[in-house]
Amino acid sequence: MVEKELRIEKLTNGFRNGSRETVLQENISAFLHPGDLVCLLGPNGAGKSTLMRTLSGFHQPLSGKISFSGKNLESMSLKARAREVAVVFTGQINDPFLTAFEVVSMGRFPYASFYGRLKKSDLEEVENTLNLLHVAHLKDKTFYQLSDGEKQKMLLARALVQDTPFLFLDEPVAFIDSPGKIEIMEWLSHFAHEQNKGILITTHDIELALDYADRLWLMNREKPLQKGIPEDLVLNGVINQYFDRERVVFDPRKGRFGSGNKPDRQVVYVKGDQVEMQWLCRAFTRMGKEVRKATAGKSVIYYSFDTDHFVLSRKDKEDVILSTIEEVMKREMDY
Amino acid sequence: MVSLSRHKIWFVIFFLLTIVLFLANLWFGSVLIGWERVLDVLFHPDSKDTLAEVIVNQYRLPQTITALSTGILLSLSGLILQTLFRNPLAGPSVLGISSGASLGVALVVLAGSAFGSWFSMTTLIGNLSVILAAFAGSLVVLLIIILVSSRIGNILTVLIIGIMLGYAVSAVVGVLQFFSGAEELHAYVVWGLGSFSKTTAVQSVMLLVVALAGMIVTLLFVRPLNALLMGERYARSLGFHTRRIHTLLILITGLLVSAGTAFTGPIAFLGLAVPHLARGFFKTSQHGVLVPSTVLMGASLALLCNLLARLPGTDVSLPINAVTSLVGAPVIIWVIIKGRHFKTE
């Protein structure tokens, strides 16, 4: 039994237009193993979608080799590919009558009879997957009427019933609200770890990728593909190199991007680290102030649990008690 | 799967409707013949009723079979093209195939006068050369489209090239019209108005055989057609050779349209409207349901239009294209308005 894996060897990716070649990345070598959720991260125009299209056999690489479990992608029939990898693309499906159930059951087409009739076991698999993702109640709705999050879950279900060791998803969390994004990422992580799927997704969302990816592939037009687990790539500063712009830098403490330090900022002193204080600090940072932990003898702001209010405690003056962050901000700006 | 049995009941109803309309086409006309006499002619070939026999067997029967077959041919090709191009306004005329037929006919009918008469008018109309010219013209355009689609992967490009080819061909026809004599021009215009009554009994049966064969072949493509509903990329990721399927489907629809147009002239709106009626009625995009329902609805709508065009009881009859347009255009307007409705949601 050959080990299941996607192997990329010395791949050069790009476009050929007549005799002119536009190279996006050169000399990519990487593996995707079952059980791993890999996020392909990179700024817009880095060639993430093109690489994904190349890996699923839709786009001819300029050179190099792609193989699934020891079989060369180029020499695999379309039918064999359909049993190796299921793909979720971006883009709308606007058919006016196609139901969610019909969309999901298309994932069973590689296993259907010539006339397209699905066996009872196929239909059961579709039902089970819909139940698993908690979308069974939506199955008879027209696909285009579903919300973006529901659509994405149906497309994920369609890819799952295709029953392949590998899943590729292009921008699965774009255009979805935050709780919906987390839900999708939780499912992807679940299917990688519990059902031993090898999952590759593209995304812009670095914070989400850092939270959920087992491995990151970082992409950039100028630099070679970097691979590694998210935590290492944060600590060795590689993330910065791939995304930083002037004024936007990655903050390794917070695990997210922010505007870099501005000089000559006014300092505000705070005490305590309750949720309320964290949000207050956030608001100050946004207003361009520097937040520091209080030292003795300074005016300080803290949150009082006795009164459920923010307290501005100033030397030689009476304390000011305020109930909302907006009021605190207004007060502080006046000074 | 409960809905499948509901669909079957409707299939039976539409099948019966087709039979009723078929018989009505034999019964009603400028001369009213009682239905007993019609049935007598149909089921007793040695009938003594010569008047009824001539009218029914030589005129109404071939015309009715032609209407039925053309309805099936054009509606099926409309259905395939709409799915193939994922465009609700695709129809038999979009690939330039019916324009190709027009060019063939124009060359035979009009070029005669433009380049000096080598045909006499009497042999022109309704004879085999027009049918062959139409068929050859549409096959030439079809061949070009097939060559293009096998080289170019993008189906939208193929669609646009088809439409442009149609314009170019129409321009050539325009030039021919400009230089031709009044009589030939009239003959060409009459052909362009379409008619179900130019076929002999044998030709009409041939057309019916082609229509039924087209239906069977299309049923073989139900699964790839369904896969194309989600777009080319998904179909390919599910293991379908989309480019090969595109080429085959264009070839099939091209042959269906060529056959339909060659015998009757271009018939407007049937191919465009019937698939929408079928989708709207059965509220589905599944081709397992749409292929049979498009066949039945296409047949019955063509028979209905033919009956209306005949203006039963009067001596005049309308050109069939006028009737199909009056019936078809509102359907398309309905589709456009509905389409806008769901896009702005």
Side-chain angles (χ1 to χ4, degrees):
Chain A
M1 185 78 196
V2 187
E3 199 197 342
K4 292 264 174 213
E5 64 169 14
L6 162 64
R7 184 194 283 257
I8 307 168
E9 286 166 280
K10 299 202 170 98
L11 187 80
T12 298
N13 202 26
F15 297 95
R16 185 176 285 129
N17 197 348
S19 59
R20 245 189 41 214
E21 285 183 359
T22 313
V23 175
L24 291 173
Q25 291 88 31
E26 273 179 302
N27 212 9
I28 302 173
S29 293
F31 295 95
L32 174 61
H33 294 286
D36 273 353
L37 171 59
V38 174
C39 286
L40 181 54
L41 268 176
N44 282 328
K48 300 188 295 286
S49 296
T50 312
L51 179 61
M52 192 167 262
R53 276 160 32 101
T54 307
L55 295 181
S56 33
F58 281 78
H59 184 78
Q60 197 73 18
L62 295 175
S63 67
K65 193 180 148 192
I66 300 160
S67 54
F68 283 95
S69 314
K71 287 166 288 181
N72 195 341
L73 175 66
E74 242 180 292
S75 57
M76 283 167 78
S77 70
L78 286 178
K79 199 143 198 182
R81 291 177 195 182
R83 291 180 182 217
E84 206 64 47
V85 55
V87 195
V88 174
F89 300 98
T90 53
Q92 294 288 312
I93 292 155
N94 280 328
D95 187 281
F97 297 110
L98 205 57
T99 67
F101 185 86
E102 288 166 347
V103 166
V104 176
S105 55
M106 276 192 205
R108 295 306 294 172
F109 269 23
Y111 308 89
S113 70
F114 182 79
Y115 191 70
R117 196 151 290 160
L118 293 173
K119 291 187 291 290
K120 208 172 171 196
S121 59
D122 292 318
L123 295 170
E124 273 169 16
E125 180 149 1
V126 172
E127 292 282 355
N128 289 342
T129 308
L130 289 170
N131 280 323
L132 181 66
L133 293 174
H134 308 300
V135 285
H137 60 289
L138 300 169
K139 67 176 181 180
D140 292 325
K141 285 207 173 183
T142 312
F143 185 80
Y144 83 86
Q145 287 175 321
L146 300 176
S147 75
D148 285 334
E150 291 164 346
K151 279 180 187 166
Q152 202 60 46
K153 274 196 251 175
M154 289 296 178
L155 291 176
L156 175 61
R158 193 211 62 86
L160 286 169
V161 300
Q162 206 174 323
D163 203 13
T164 53
F166 297 100
L167 297 182
F168 294 168
L169 298 93
D170 198 2
E171 298 286 354
V173 293
F175 311 114
I176 300 180
D177 57 18
S178 294
K181 282 183 187 185
I182 289 166
E183 208 183 346
I184 294 280
M185 293 306 291
E186 289 278 350
W187 280 121
L188 292 176
S189 178
H190 169 87
F191 290 120
H193 300 155
E194 306 300 322
Q195 295 194 4
N196 208 33
K197 304 256 183 204
I199 304 180
L200 177 67
I201 72 166
T202 62
T203 180
H204 297 101
D205 199 324
I206 298 167
E207 285 103 38
L208 216 53
L210 288 175
D211 285 347
Y212 287 99
D214 295 309
R215 303 183 71 79
L216 293 181
W217 292 359
L218 294 176
M219 241 182 158
N220 189 314
R221 285 290 287 268
E222 284 85 39
K223 302 188 188 84
L225 187 83
Q226 279 277 358
K227 296 148 290 183
I229 73 163
E231 291 75 11
D232 281 339
L233 293 172
V234 168
L235 286 178
N236 63 22
V238 172
I239 291 249
N240 282 329
Q241 296 165 18
Y242 275 75
F243 287 94
D244 278 0
R245 301 171 190 194
E246 234 178 308
R247 304 176 66 90
V248 185
V249 293
F250 188 79
D251 182 343
R253 284 179 196 285
K254 291 181 183 158
R256 61 191 188 86
F257 280 84
S259 59
N261 282 329
K262 291 168 201 145
D264 307 326
R265 291 196 304 174
Q266 219 186 329
V267 180
V268 180
Y269 293 91
V270 297
K271 199 166 75 180
D273 58 356
Q274 308 95 320
V275 180
E276 289 79 2
M277 287 311 293
Q278 284 175 16
W279 284 96
L280 182 72
C281 296
R282 214 180 99 112
F284 276 129
T285 312
R286 190 178 66 238
M287 304 299 286
K289 303 204 175 211
E290 196 180 330
V291 183
R292 286 193 201 154
K293 291 279 173 223
T295 46
K298 302 261 186 198
S299 300
V300 67
I301 306 171
Y302 64 90
Y303 187 76
S304 153
F305 275 109
D306 302 336
T307 55
D308 270 345
H309 280 78
F310 293 100
V311 181
L312 267 70
S313 158
R314 281 166 301 176
K315 221 176 160 188
D316 309 327
K317 281 186 189 164
E318 212 171 303
D319 285 358
V320 181
I321 295 179
L322 299 164
S323 59
T324 68
I325 292 180
E326 189 175 356
E327 285 166 12
V328 180
M329 305 307 298
K330 206 169 166 216
R331 197 74 188 211
E332 275 298 309
M333 286 301 156
D334 292 344
Y335 284 97
Chain B
M1 294 298 103
V2 183
S3 56
L4 199 68
S5 56
R6 189 176 65 89
H7 289 156
K8 275 182 185 150
I9 292 169
W10 279 110
F11 288 164
V12 171
I13 291 171
F14 278 112
F15 185 71
L16 293 175
L17 178 69
T18 308
I19 290 176
V20 168
L21 284 165
F22 189 93
L23 291 175
N25 266 277
L26 298 180
W27 183 12
F28 294 110
S30 52
V31 180
L32 288 174
I33 309 170
W35 58 271
E36 305 95 335
R37 288 170 73 191
V38 172
L39 291 179
D40 185 48
V41 168
L42 281 184
F43 294 105
H44 303 97
D46 52 347
S47 165
K48 300 278 183 303
D49 193 344
T50 35
L51 174 72
E53 208 207 316
V54 168
I55 291 177
V56 172
N57 278 351
Q58 292 188 15
Y59 290 96
R60 290 187 190 165
L61 194 59
Q63 191 194 31
T64 306
I65 295 175
T66 303
L68 172 100
S69 316
T70 311
I72 294 174
L73 288 167
L74 295 181
S75 307
L76 264 185
S77 45
L79 174 66
I80 296 173
L81 289 168
Q82 283 165 14
T83 301
L84 192 60
F85 294 118
R86 301 221 294 153
N87 188 324
L89 293 181
S93 60
V94 293
L95 287 176
I97 292 164
S98 44
S99 308
S102 309
L103 179 63
V105 173
L107 281 173
V108 170
V109 179
L110 303 175
S113 72
F115 301 113
S117 183
W118 39 282
F119 269 115
S120 72
M121 279 301 294
T122 45
T123 60
L124 275 182
I125 306 307
N127 82 6
L128 207 60
S129 63
V130 171
I131 293 169
L132 289 177
F135 202 62
S138 49
L139 285 187
V140 167
V141 173
L142 177 61
L143 204 68
I144 297 171
I145 297 284
I146 294 281
L147 278 177
V148 169
S149 80
S150 61
R151 298 264 163 94
I152 296 174
N154 189 342
I155 197 73
L156 256 181
T157 314
V158 177
L159 177 68
I160 293 166
I161 291 174
I163 293 171
M164 290 305 124
L165 210 56
Y167 279 121
V169 166
S170 303
V172 176
V173 172
V175 172
L176 287 172
Q177 283 177 315
F178 185 74
F179 286 110
S180 58
E183 259 179 294
E184 289 89 350
L185 194 59
H186 182 254
Y188 176 77
V189 169
V190 166
W191 180 84
L193 286 173
S195 167
F196 290 142
S197 48
K198 288 181 293 199
T199 43
T200 64
V202 177
Q203 287 168 349
S204 70
V205 172
M206 270 165 52
L207 207 52
L208 183 63
V209 171
V210 174
L212 294 179
M215 181 182 82
I216 290 165
V217 172
T218 311
L219 281 172
L220 298 179
F221 278 87
V222 160
R223 199 165 66 108
L225 281 168
N226 281 343
L228 283 173
L229 288 175
M230 278 181 76
E232 203 176 330
R233 294 177 304 172
Y234 277 110
R236 213 177 124 87
S237 82
L238 288 168
F240 293 95
H241 282 271
T242 44
R243 201 178 284 195
R244 197 186 296 167
I245 288 165
H246 286 162
T247 308
L248 280 172
L249 286 176
I250 289 174
L251 180 69
I252 292 165
T253 48
L255 290 174
L256 297 181
V257 175
S258 304
T261 314
F263 287 99
T264 63
I267 304 292
F269 281 107
L270 269 184
L272 196 53
V274 170
H276 289 297
L277 287 175
R279 273 187 216 104
F281 188 85
F282 287 98
K283 300 244 180 302
T284 184
S285 290
Q286 296 294 306
H287 290 82
V289 176
L290 287 182
V291 173
S293 54
T294 300
V295 164
L296 291 171
M297 285 182 168
S300 39
L301 193 66
L303 289 171
L304 181 69
C305 289
N306 193 44
L307 197 62
L308 293 174
R310 232 185 246 166
L311 298 174
T314 67
D315 283 341
V316 285
S317 65
L318 299 173
I320 187 70
N321 253 334
V323 179
T324 53
S325 299
L326 284 174
V327 173
V331 173
I332 302 305
I333 292 170
W334 169 70
V335 168
I336 299 286
I337 291 172
K338 252 192 108 188
R340 174 167 298 175
H341 170 67
F342 77 72
K343 259 175 205 144
T344 49
E345 254 178 9

